[in-house]
Amino acid sequence: DGKCNGREFTVNNGTNHLHGGITGISFVEWNIEQVSETELVCTLETNHEQDGYHGTFNYKVTYTLENDALVLTYDHHCDKLNPFGSTSHMYFNLSGDLKHGIKNHILTSNITKMEMLDDSGAPCCVADIEKGSCFDFTEGKVLGEAIESNHPQFVITEGGIDHPFLVNGPITLEDPVSKRVMEINTDAPCVVVYTSNFIDDTTIFQNETVGYKHIAVAIELQDYANAINLGLATEKTEYKQKTSYRFYVK
């Protein structure tokens, strides 16, 4: 409902405040500096008073190529206490051809806890993941099988996964046809897995590919979702995170 710690934030997703509101950092141009052939630094100084945040924010994200991995390092600061953080909302499709979606992709991780959603789509509690359920990735889960399980939560998320999970070690995504694998390692406590349930033909991807449901999967490493309202975090003046995405062929 846009409320947190007694403060009012803008509502921009149904009854919720999502992605930092209408002045979120995904809507502005950053300063970009190429440090070397393998390193790019992006910085931004801004405020989000319009959305209910206080003070001046200084964001810095460094993109580094390290052998077969892309490493993202986040170093953000604010001069006043706020509930804030950031993530990368990159979409992944390891087929090499966006005409083939991600329903055959296999997601594997030792994750045992997740955040369930209320009817508005907001995370409302932390729950243990039932062994063998559509949210159990411990032995590898074909995303299509999870999506087609018709879990009651998928009524809220328009037929797919759009949930925060508590990180517990590496996360791997594999396309069994192309044999491409992505392994994610992070010091972030939470990951949102989103199977592009809301994407349709109004979204145009590279090479003029028309979007469709489940065309890709976003694996967003971040702080706990709805953290302060769930008692999982407090307001802060800095946010740091490091995440690596390593790619290889089986």
Side-chain angles (χ1 to χ4, degrees):
D1 59 2
K3 296 179 181 179
C4 179
N5 262 15
R7 292 163 59 179
E8 296 280 349
F9 295 87
T10 53
V11 172
N12 65 327
N13 183 258
T15 58
N16 298 314
H17 176 81
L18 184 68
H19 295 168
I22 58 176
T23 62
I25 57 178
S26 59
F27 300 111
V28 295
E29 291 187 2
W30 290 51
N31 302 307
I32 301 175
E33 178 186 359
Q34 184 171 345
V35 177
S36 69
E37 290 185 354
T38 59
E39 187 170 285
L40 196 70
V41 177
C42 304
T43 59
L44 174 69
E45 180 178 315
T46 189
N47 70 73
H48 306 287
E49 297 286 349
Q50 186 176 352
D51 282 300
Y53 297 89
H54 302 321
T56 300
F57 292 79
N58 284 278
Y59 298 97
K60 179 181 178 181
V61 182
T62 303
Y63 294 77
T64 309
L65 291 175
E66 296 181 359
N67 299 317
D68 54 359
L70 172 65
V71 180
L72 272 61
T73 305
Y74 305 75
D75 187 8
H76 306 333
H77 298 269
C78 184
D79 55 8
K80 293 186 178 180
L81 286 169
N82 282 282
F84 83 107
S86 70
T87 185
S88 172
H89 206 300
M90 290 188 288
Y91 286 94
F92 298 99
N93 181 321
L94 302 181
S95 71
D97 181 357
L98 290 180
K99 293 180 181 178
H100 302 283
I102 47 81
K103 282 190 173 184
N104 73 323
H105 284 35
I106 301 168
L107 189 65
T108 306
S109 179
N110 287 324
I111 289 168
T112 59
K113 294 180 181 293
M114 65 179 293
E115 294 183 49
M116 304 300 285
L117 309 180
D118 64 19
D119 289 341
S120 75
C124 60
C125 66
V126 175
D128 292 329
I129 296 174
E130 181 183 351
K131 188 70 174 175
S133 74
C134 61
F135 298 119
D136 178 18
F137 307 119
T138 55
E139 296 181 7
K141 177 72 67 178
V142 177
L143 289 177
E145 293 179 3
I147 291 167
E148 292 162 8
S149 69
N150 295 320
H151 192 283
Q153 285 273 295
F154 294 167
V155 175
I156 304 167
T157 57
E158 295 290 333
I161 302 170
D162 189 8
H163 291 76
F165 298 85
L166 277 60
V167 172
N168 185 25
I171 301 166
T172 63
L173 181 70
E174 175 188 351
D175 174 20
V177 177
S178 71
K179 307 296 183 184
R180 296 186 182 99
V181 180
M182 176 178 68
E183 179 184 296
I184 300 174
N185 285 276
T186 184
D187 56 13
C190 182
V191 56
V192 172
V193 177
Y194 169 56
T195 53
S196 57
N197 317 322
F198 295 93
I199 289 180
D200 57 23
D201 59 8
T202 62
T203 302
I204 307 300
F205 288 82
Q206 65 187 41
N207 300 323
E208 300 301 313
T209 300
V210 177
Y212 55 90
K213 198 168 189 171
H214 309 138
I215 188 174
V217 57
I219 303 176
E220 309 158 43
L221 290 307
Q222 59 175 64
D223 209 340
Y224 299 109
N226 203 16
I228 293 180
N229 286 331
L230 296 182
L232 299 174
T234 58
E235 295 187 6
K236 50 185 174 279
T237 57
E238 69 173 20
Y239 177 81
K240 296 179 182 292
Q241 186 208 126
K242 185 174 183 179
T243 298
S244 69
Y245 306 80
R246 184 170 75 91
F247 298 88
Y248 60 93
V249 177
K250 264 192 170 181

